[in-house]
Amino acid sequence: MGGLLAESGAGDNAAPLSVSEISNSLKRVVEDRFGFVRIRGEISGYKRAASGHVYLALKDDKAVLDGVMWKGNAGRLPFQPEDGIEVVVSGKLTTYPGRSKYQVVIEKMELAGEGALMQLFEKLKAKLQGEGLFDQSRKRALPFLPKTIGVVTSPTGSVIRDILHRLADRCPTHVIVWPVLVQGEGAAKQIAGAINGFSNMQSGGEGGGGLVRPDLIIVARGGGSIEDLWSFNEEIVVRAVADCSIPVISAVGHETDTTLCDFAADLRAPTPTAAAEMAVPVRAEWLATLSEAKVRMARSVQRGFSTAQERLEAQRRLMPALTDLLRPHQQRVDELADGMKHAMRHNIVQARSRLSESGGALRPAMLRQRLDTAKSRLDRCALPVQLIERPLNDARQRLDNLWRLAQQVSPDGPLKRGYARVSALDKSVIGSRAAAIKAGAVNLHFHDGTVAAHVGDKPEAQSEPPATKAPATKAKAVSTKKPADDRQQDLF
């Protein structure tokens, strides 16, 4: 019986361990002993966290083992795990001290045989069929003669060569190849991206420098096992085919191979070569058909002409002679011509009678009387010559006065009397000694021309002789006190 407190007995060398210590010891033992294991079991409780990590449980009829698959390995899974699928996982065992349990860290996950793969196939097929992705109402008719065909396949395989060769034999068509992986890691994502890329493509127009949007898409791959074709069973690929805005032909595998992509496509082809045959008609056959139609059309037109000519000849024989048809009308024309002559004679007689009646009112005496009356009215309306000449004389006199005044106030008027007008080079008038000295170079305007001069700052006795001041003062007095005429003051 132990006591209330924990005590170490004599010879007891087993010190108590902490929970963390014992948990870490167990973790090391389990990881060393089970560093690599392969486990077969059925998936249960599959869940992908927001971080990208996958959590699940593997079970059989007697036990359950928790498992975790980190984000990097989960992103490389070749299929989409689901509950109820039997798989074989590879990894290592470890413990999770936080919950006192052990789990397997999964590095690789594979389906446990074709039975599990078919089980996953049927389960995904039922899910997508329940959503209506395989309904016949969604199927669209293929274009009769597509100008551009988009092909989603591997650029290095024999599939693309077979398709191009078959198209060239039947009807040469512009082809755009979107290269993708058709199996292995990342293949499903590339295939779905190519289909969505074609669907979202905006046509750059022929000759516009951009790619021409395809009228038809062929998703193709050669034959192989169900594992090789599994990329075309992925949900992301099937949804891309179903949502594509362009008609799609699925040509995956051989005739006996079936993928979910075949159910979602608008048309399934047994082989890639057959897909090329379904995509375009035989050009030679259509040219022959057109030639035959051309010949038949020409024969039909000729037959129509012959028939119409026969009918016209039959109608012509039944019709009366042209002279017989014209005789009644000729008689009618003769009658109308006679009636027109009588009517014209009658109209001439009446016109002469009206002219005689009107001519009596146009006698010379009456016309002369009317002319005299008009002359007398014109004489009364005439104006006296004095009324017209007086305003003209007054206007002429005012114009003369204004012209004399303009000559008196003109700045060039005094130039004829020996004066000169001084201006700067910019044609501004200089009216003072200071302005002339400041300008330096000036122009002297005389009545018969202009002289250039230079003005310097010299003594006043030399630059301004008394003889030059008097005329300027006199000219100024004359120009300011000139108007003295009474008639000129009346104008202002």
Side-chain angles (χ1 to χ4, degrees):
M1 294 295 294
L4 180 62
L5 298 176
E7 297 178 355
S8 299
D12 186 4
N13 58 358
L17 300 174
S18 66
V19 175
S20 298
E21 291 174 343
I22 192 66
S23 297
N24 290 333
S25 297
L26 286 172
K27 181 178 180 68
R28 285 193 296 271
V29 171
V30 171
E31 290 181 352
D32 291 342
R33 173 66 181 80
F34 302 99
F36 177 79
V37 293
R38 296 188 74 225
I39 305 171
R40 179 170 182 161
E42 181 183 324
I43 296 178
S44 176
Y46 176 84
K47 179 179 69 174
R48 182 184 288 270
S51 61
H53 306 317
V54 171
Y55 299 94
L56 52 83
L58 298 175
K59 67 179 183 178
D60 56 16
D61 57 343
K62 295 180 180 179
V64 177
L65 174 62
D66 289 337
V68 60
M69 195 173 194
W70 305 126
K71 178 181 179 180
N73 294 325
R76 292 192 292 269
L77 281 174
F79 66 97
Q80 179 64 34
E82 293 185 3
D83 290 350
I85 303 300
E86 189 175 8
V87 295
V88 176
V89 300
S90 301
K92 65 178 180 179
L93 289 183
T94 185
T95 64
Y96 182 51
R99 292 187 180 178
S100 298
K101 66 177 184 178
Y102 66 96
Q103 61 185 8
V104 57
V105 178
I106 302 172
E107 297 179 357
K108 183 179 180 182
M109 181 183 295
E110 302 168 314
L111 292 169
E114 290 191 4
L117 198 60
M118 292 305 300
Q119 182 182 0
L120 181 61
F121 178 89
E122 294 297 335
K123 189 172 183 179
L124 182 57
K125 177 182 178 182
K127 173 186 174 182
L128 298 178
Q129 189 170 11
E131 295 180 10
L133 267 63
F134 304 155
D135 292 348
Q136 287 296 324
S137 58
R138 295 174 59 92
K139 309 298 182 182
R140 291 162 296 186
L142 303 183
F144 171 70
L145 187 61
K147 294 182 179 179
T148 304
I149 298 177
V151 180
V152 179
T153 188
S154 172
T156 58
S158 61
V159 172
I160 185 61
R161 292 195 297 271
D162 294 341
I163 291 176
L164 294 177
H165 179 72
R166 197 58 177 159
L167 289 176
D169 289 343
R170 291 176 63 86
C171 183
T173 307
H174 181 61
V175 177
I176 301 176
V177 180
W178 197 304
V180 295
L181 294 175
V182 292
Q183 71 179 67
E185 182 180 342
K189 187 175 181 180
Q190 289 189 18
I191 296 169
I195 296 172
N196 292 329
F198 276 135
S199 179
N200 298 327
M201 183 183 294
Q202 298 295 328
S203 178
E206 297 183 4
L211 291 177
V212 180
R213 189 172 188 262
D215 302 315
L216 180 66
I217 296 176
I218 298 177
V219 180
R221 188 204 187 282
S225 64
I226 187 173
E227 294 89 352
D228 296 336
L229 304 179
W230 189 255
S231 298
F232 297 90
N233 291 323
E234 292 287 352
E235 184 175 356
I236 185 175
V237 175
V238 179
R239 292 191 181 277
V241 172
D243 296 337
C244 184
S245 60
I246 303 173
V248 179
I249 297 178
S250 176
V252 180
H254 297 303
E255 187 171 1
T256 57
D257 298 323
T258 303
T259 64
L260 295 180
C261 182
D262 297 336
F263 295 104
D266 297 289
L267 185 65
R268 176 184 181 270
T271 61
T273 304
E277 295 177 355
M278 295 177 178
V280 295
V282 181
R283 183 173 180 269
E285 294 179 359
W286 278 101
L287 289 177
T289 303
L290 289 176
S291 299
E292 183 181 354
K294 182 179 179 181
V295 172
R296 293 176 60 186
M297 182 178 65
R299 291 175 180 174
S300 178
V301 172
Q302 186 62 34
R303 189 183 304 112
F305 282 153
S306 300
T307 303
Q309 189 174 6
E310 292 176 359
R311 290 179 179 176
L312 179 61
E313 186 64 24
Q315 293 293 332
R316 189 184 67 81
R317 288 195 298 266
L318 296 176
M319 292 178 64
L322 182 60
T323 55
D324 296 338
L325 294 174
L326 292 177
R327 282 169 185 169
H329 299 286
Q330 290 176 347
Q331 185 177 358
R332 177 61 177 166
V333 170
D334 294 339
E335 294 176 356
L336 292 175
D338 293 339
M340 185 180 297
K341 291 179 181 179
H342 294 298
M344 291 180 64
R345 293 193 188 99
H346 179 70
N347 289 338
I348 290 173
V349 171
Q350 290 184 345
R352 286 177 178 175
S353 175
R354 289 195 298 270
L355 180 60
S356 299
E357 294 176 359
S358 301
L362 297 177
R363 292 188 300 273
M366 184 176 293
L367 293 176
R368 193 176 294 107
Q369 183 180 357
R370 289 183 180 181
L371 181 60
D372 294 339
T373 304
K375 284 183 178 181
S376 61
R377 292 176 60 188
L378 181 60
D379 293 339
R380 289 195 301 270
C381 294
L383 293 174
V385 179
Q386 296 78 4
L387 294 179
I388 298 175
E389 290 180 349
R390 186 181 302 169
L392 290 176
N393 293 332
D394 294 342
R396 187 179 296 107
Q397 187 175 4
R398 287 196 300 271
L399 180 61
D400 293 340
N401 293 336
L402 289 174
W403 176 248
R404 286 194 297 273
L405 178 61
Q407 288 181 338
Q408 292 177 2
V409 299
S410 173
D412 294 334
L415 300 184
K416 296 180 180 180
R417 299 195 299 272
Y419 292 94
R421 179 166 54 84
V422 183
S423 66
L425 296 181
D426 59 356
K427 298 183 179 180
S428 61
V429 178
I430 296 177
S432 65
R433 174 178 177 275
I437 294 173
K438 183 178 180 181
V442 298
N443 290 325
L444 301 179
H445 300 274
F446 297 93
H447 72 92
D448 56 351
T450 302
V451 177
H454 179 76
V455 180
D457 189 7
K458 295 182 179 181
E460 190 172 328
Q462 298 176 4
S463 60
E464 296 180 4
T468 59
K469 289 185 179 181
T473 305
K474 183 178 181 180
K476 185 175 181 182
V478 171
S479 62
T480 55
K481 298 181 180 181
K482 178 67 178 177
D485 193 356
D486 294 339
R487 295 173 64 185
Q488 220 171 12
Q489 292 176 357
D490 291 343
L491 290 173
F492 290 94

